[in-house]
Structures are given as structure tokens and as C-alpha cells.
Amino acid sequence: MAHILVVDDDVIFRSLITRALEAIGHSVVTCENGRKAVDHIEHAQADLLITDILMPEMDGVETVRAVRRLQPQFPILAISGGGPANAADFLGLAQVFGATETLLKPFQPAELLAAVSRLLLAGPSPN
């Protein structure tokens, strides 16, 4: 199965995503911000990045941009609930900067697993 990096500042949401992915056999590493995620991608193997958009230190759009500079073909799933703003706007911006696919919070585990399967089957992103 795949090695997936999950980035979200919400510990509960990170845990829910991790449990859903591990339940079907994926290996998961988690980070609470984009800076740590970029460092992980620079120094360790991963097959997919799932990143929240609204986070402290380094937000998800900055994370997507940094990962694209390091690995232009890397599959990235951006997720967001948008906070007080419109989540669709943030997710659209993430796609402009290189997210392969987006998912609006809250989502069902089946939606997450379907998106992960699509990205892993598709292989490297064309971005």
C-alpha cells in the first residue's frame, strides 16, 4: 500500500483521516503544519500528500507551492472547510498552485478513500 503524508493543524481531523487510511492498509505520517510536511517530503519517501489549507506557520497553498518546486509530479489532495471564508475559493486557489484534486470538509470517509484511490491509480500529477 501507499505511504501517505497527512497535514492538518486539527489533531482530531488528522486522527480521523489517519484511521480511515490505515484501515485499508496505507502507511500514514502526520504533520501539523506545512513547514514540517515540506521537510518530510525533502527527506523521506511519500506517495501522496493530503493537506489542509488553513493552517498556522505555512498554510496549505504555500505547502502545495513548495512541494511543486521540489517534486513537480507529486500527487496532492487539498482539503478545507474554509473557516469563516468560502472553502471553495481556497480549494480553487490550491488547484491553481498545483493541487491535483480537492475535497471540501466535512467529507465522508468513503469520499476521502475514493479521492486517494484515484490519485494513487493516476500516478504522478500532470501539473
Side-chain angles (χ1 to χ4, degrees):
M1 296 312 271
H3 178 79
I4 300 174
L5 179 59
V6 175
V7 188
D8 197 315
D9 60 321
D10 182 329
V11 67
I12 294 170
F13 213 84
R14 267 194 332 261
S15 177
L16 292 171
I17 293 171
T18 298
R19 282 188 287 179
L21 295 170
E22 288 179 342
I24 61 168
H26 294 299
S27 169
V28 179
V29 171
T30 63
C31 298
E32 64 271 7
N33 66 58
R35 194 168 318 286
K36 290 181 179 181
V38 171
D39 184 59
H40 180 85
I41 289 172
E42 284 182 309
H43 299 100
Q45 171 63 30
D47 300 306
L48 171 66
L49 169 66
I50 299 173
T51 185
D52 189 22
I53 297 299
L54 299 177
M55 299 180 291
E57 277 193 62
M58 178 185 258
D59 69 37
V61 173
E62 292 173 295
T63 303
V64 168
R65 292 180 69 196
V67 170
R68 280 287 163 252
R69 284 191 297 273
L70 292 170
Q71 295 188 30
Q73 307 292 308
F74 197 81
I76 301 171
L77 173 62
I79 59 175
S80 183
N86 184 351
D89 292 341
F90 288 115
L91 292 173
L93 188 59
Q95 278 195 299
V96 166
F97 285 106
T100 315
E101 191 167 329
T102 62
L103 197 55
L104 183 63
K105 290 179 181 178
F107 46 78
Q108 295 298 312
E111 293 173 288
L112 171 69
L113 299 177
V116 166
S117 292
R118 281 192 301 274
L119 289 169
L120 292 173
L121 286 173
S125 170
N127 291 335

